[in-house]
Amino acid sequence: MSRITTSTLRKMKQDGEKIACLTAYDASFAQILVEAGVEILLVGDSLGMILQGQDSTLPVKLEDMVYHTRMVRAASGDALVMADMPFMTYIKPIQALATAGRLMKEGGAHMVKLEGGAPMVETVAHLAEHGIPVCAHLGLLPQSVNKLGGYKVQGRSDEQAEAMLRDARAMEDAGADCLLLECVPSALAATISAALAIPVIGIGAGPHCDAQVLVLYDMLGITPGKRPKFSKDFLLQGGDIRGAVRTYVQAVKDGSFPADEHTF
Ligand code: KIV
């Protein structure tokens, strides 16, 4: 594969080619993912729960994200490395710029991800004006779990769905390079994906998104506790870690994942 850029991702969307994304937190896994054809490596702040054993993503520090992004970037090959901006590190546009700067300069990220809709438009525009590729995360926002009252499907009412579509358009207009939808009804994700020119990455958002992402440890069946409904244990099918990741990439590409049972 040649180097994946924001233009590659847009072209894949235009061509109707599905994009495979997985979380990665270190070089060894990053290499396995790249060899299997994963186009986007997401250094998610889910590492707070997955690696650090915290009960949410809120305690994750910028230093943690820079450290893990650097490890992933070291083995990222031609894949695009996207890094999460942690909780409370992008309250104002100027702070977001400093955070993104560290993730890119010290961590080597190609793109940063932030959570939030309308209140984040100015921040996305500010980052875009400074040449920073941004993914805007809508739907279930794990950094707002305390405000949301739990990890719940978002956008079920007509009012919420209209607001999410409005936010998605505003993010694209502000200069976002892609959108991530977490835990939203499949029909709403399909509408948003069709309405935007930028690629839409789904997790628990049904099969009509342009890209799919899962938390790596969930799809390998090694996250303690109950696996989320939208995830699948690919290790069972793939036999070993490399086989599991290859099976996931194939299933994303041929549209067989996510199936109805993974969808809201
Ligand atoms: O942090 C993360 O892993 C994420 C995914 C849930 C998309 O943002």
Side-chain angles (χ1 to χ4, degrees):
M1 108 179 145
S2 57
R3 184 122 144 61
I4 305 293
T5 65
T6 52
S7 316
T8 323
L9 299 178
R10 268 190 192 243
K11 172 93 174 40
M12 288 174 78
K13 172 166 181 144
Q14 279 162 11
D15 294 347
E17 187 185 341
K18 298 279 187 190
I19 302 161
C21 175
L22 279 174
T23 65
Y25 314 107
D26 66 39
S28 300
F29 274 117
Q31 182 150 353
I32 290 173
L33 268 46
V34 170
E35 283 169 5
V38 174
E39 281 103 358
I40 304 174
L41 307 178
L42 169 61
V43 188
D45 59 358
S46 52
L47 66 82
M49 289 174 288
I50 300 295
L51 303 186
Q52 298 175 342
Q54 317 264 14
D55 64 0
S56 77
T57 59
L58 275 64
V60 174
K61 297 188 182 77
L62 180 54
E63 281 64 33
D64 302 335
M65 293 307 300
V66 169
Y67 175 70
H68 286 280
T69 303
R70 196 164 52 232
M71 293 199 280
V72 168
R73 178 61 201 275
S76 62
D78 289 326
L80 183 142
V81 176
M82 181 193 294
D84 263 331
M85 304 223 275
F87 182 57
M88 290 293 145
T89 66
Y90 53 98
I91 303 166
K92 294 267 189 258
I94 186 78
Q95 188 198 15
L97 195 58
T99 297
R102 286 201 60 194
L103 288 167
M104 294 180 82
K105 280 171 80 99
E106 298 171 42
H110 301 112
M111 186 183 287
V112 296
K113 177 162 81 61
L114 54 75
E115 295 183 12
M120 284 296 136
V121 167
E122 199 191 332
T123 299
V124 170
H126 194 61
L127 294 174
E129 278 158 19
H130 287 82
I132 296 174
V134 185
C135 177
H137 184 148
L138 301 181
L140 170 55
L141 308 179
Q143 292 175 10
S144 303
V145 61
N146 295 307
K147 182 77 178 163
L148 294 173
Y151 296 99
K152 297 176 185 163
V153 178
Q154 303 294 308
R156 285 212 196 262
S157 72
D158 289 351
E159 208 176 40
Q160 283 180 346
E162 278 160 27
M164 207 182 294
L165 178 58
R166 240 187 349 262
D167 284 357
R169 288 199 165 111
M171 287 300 181
E172 179 169 69
D173 292 346
D177 295 276
C178 64
L179 198 78
L180 187 143
L181 295 178
E182 178 165 357
C183 289
V184 305
S186 176
L188 173 58
T191 303
I192 294 175
S193 303
L196 303 188
I198 56 173
V200 175
I201 306 170
I203 176 163
H208 305 294
C209 297
D210 309 299
Q212 297 292 333
V213 63
L214 285 178
V215 169
L216 178 64
Y217 287 35
D218 287 351
M219 60 80 79
L220 293 176
I222 53 177
T223 307
K226 194 166 169 272
R227 194 177 53 250
K229 169 185 162 79
F230 56 76
S231 194
K232 177 177 168 178
D233 184 347
F234 282 90
L235 198 67
L236 288 174
Q237 217 178 319
D240 61 13
I241 291 173
R242 285 183 174 76
V245 178
R246 274 198 306 269
T247 307
Y248 168 75
V249 172
Q250 185 55 45
V252 169
K253 299 278 174 192
D254 67 21
S256 57
F257 179 81
D260 283 351
E261 75 248 39
H262 311 118
T263 296
F264 299 109

